[in-house]
Amino acid sequence: MTGSTPPWKRRFPRWGADSGPQDGPHGALDHERGPSRPSDRTDAPASAGPAPLDQVSGRDPAASADGTAPVARRRAAEIGGRAARAATRGARKSGGRARSALGHLADRIIDLTPRIPVRDLATLRRQFPGLDPEQLADRLVAGAANGTATVGAGVGAAAMLPVPPAMPTELAAEITGVAAVELKLIAELHEVYGVRPPGPLKARSIAYLSSWSGERGIDPTKPSTIDTALGGQFKRQLRQQIMKRMVRDLPNLMPFLVGAAVGAAINRRDTRRLAARVRADLRKIQVPWDALPALPPLDTPANPLPIEGASEDEHGGR
């Protein structure tokens, strides 16, 4: 065989780099080959360190010097700003619609309160003979709890297959019905404990609304506990109470009749809790029946509101 030594028999020096093929650099002379290092170039200055990051990445040094972001980064920032502004506008619109809905529901409850039929103490004692104040109050609380449970069960059954557009209407109907039953209960508890708020029907209705929204009893001897005007603070407190009830009533919209059972249980529990708080306040200022002066009969509403879920013997008209 002729030619160079086979690779497996070729001997390399122990130290140093490979000297290349034995027949030379394939016809390229040393002065014809390019420089192996940037510092060997004659037309470029030698660099003592690594190349700048701008030269490696291809970034314009002028853009880095004056802080101008690349086009892609500016575009991403603009899109993010637009999304943030759109989210802020959406949140503001949603909050405005929620406040408007709560205000409308509060106005509706305010308009319905004077139409709620309330029995005075003489009528209650005639319908429930032989009972003392605590026994009579227990009967009224039991009847109101059954009434609100009936309202919750009815709304839960109607929402067996909930449709999202109908949910706000169902919640509003339930809150209105429950409020009517509980307002009637509060008014009659004040009669039982002998602390009827003074004034005509409208003034008493506002006092009962204040008691319902604040979950407390009204002391007629302290005018500061009675809100006689529909001011901003009164409506704000009323909206907060409606919002709490709306949040607690959300499980009533569960499908497959589960919401009916849940709604009945929640409404019964909330009514009993409200009655316990009101009765605790009224016991402190209770006037015994034998010490009560002769009170005039309560005004009968011109257009009495039918109380859903109330029985005739416990929550019927006078």
Side-chain angles (χ1 to χ4, degrees):
M1 294 178 62
T2 60
S4 61
T5 305
W8 57 86
K9 292 184 178 182
R10 188 179 305 166
R11 293 184 179 181
F12 296 97
R14 183 178 300 273
W15 305 102
D18 188 8
S19 58
Q22 294 181 357
D23 55 351
H26 301 287
L29 301 179
D30 291 341
H31 68 278
E32 296 178 350
R33 291 186 297 171
S36 59
R37 295 189 305 271
S39 59
D40 295 339
R41 296 177 55 185
T42 58
D43 57 344
S47 176
L53 183 61
D54 295 338
Q55 295 180 4
V56 175
S57 61
R59 186 183 301 174
D60 186 7
S64 299
D66 59 5
T68 305
V71 176
R73 185 175 300 177
R74 292 198 304 269
R75 187 172 301 171
E78 183 178 357
I79 294 175
R82 291 180 180 177
R85 290 191 295 270
T88 303
R89 288 195 298 268
R92 289 177 180 175
K93 291 181 179 179
S94 300
R97 286 193 293 265
R99 286 192 298 270
S100 178
L102 289 176
H104 176 73
L105 190 55
D107 292 338
R108 183 179 178 185
I109 293 177
I110 291 174
D111 294 338
L112 293 179
T113 302
R115 297 175 51 197
I116 296 176
V118 178
R119 292 167 291 183
D120 55 19
L121 179 59
T123 303
L124 291 172
R125 296 185 67 179
R126 186 168 58 252
Q127 292 183 356
F128 302 97
L131 300 181
D132 59 17
E134 291 297 327
Q135 293 173 345
L136 181 53
D138 290 339
R139 290 289 299 271
L140 296 179
V141 172
N146 292 334
T148 56
T150 302
V151 175
V155 173
M160 183 175 62
L161 295 177
V163 181
M167 289 182 180
T169 304
E170 294 169 354
L171 285 176
E174 178 175 6
I175 292 174
T176 304
V178 170
V181 175
E182 292 180 347
L183 285 168
K184 179 179 178 66
L185 171 65
I186 289 175
E188 293 179 351
L189 285 177
H190 281 77
E191 290 288 323
V192 170
Y193 286 98
V195 285
R196 177 193 298 181
L201 176 61
K202 183 177 181 181
R204 292 196 308 271
S205 300
I206 297 175
Y208 298 145
L209 273 173
S210 178
S211 175
W212 181 75
S213 60
E215 298 182 356
R216 58 184 175 85
I218 297 298
D219 188 356
T221 62
K222 296 181 180 179
S224 60
T225 62
I226 304 177
D227 292 328
T228 58
L230 299 175
Q233 182 178 0
F234 174 82
K235 289 190 175 181
R236 181 165 55 251
Q237 187 177 10
L238 185 58
R239 287 195 299 266
Q240 291 175 355
Q241 177 68 10
I242 293 173
M243 175 60 74
K244 288 195 303 183
R245 290 303 181 97
M246 188 173 294
V247 172
R248 289 201 295 259
D249 292 341
L250 284 177
N252 300 6
L253 301 179
M254 297 174 63
F256 306 117
L257 294 179
V258 178
V262 174
I266 290 178
N267 286 351
R268 182 181 289 110
R269 180 201 63 189
D270 291 345
T271 300
R272 291 185 179 276
R273 182 183 302 173
L274 172 66
R277 293 178 179 177
V278 173
R279 291 177 68 179
D281 291 338
L282 295 180
R283 288 191 187 101
K284 301 175 184 178
I285 56 176
Q286 179 179 2
V287 179
W289 287 351
D290 53 1
L292 276 175
L295 297 176
L298 293 175
D299 302 332
T300 303
N303 186 15
L305 180 69
I307 307 298
E308 183 178 358
S311 59
E312 181 65 26
D313 60 339
E314 293 185 358
H315 286 277
R318 292 176 52 192

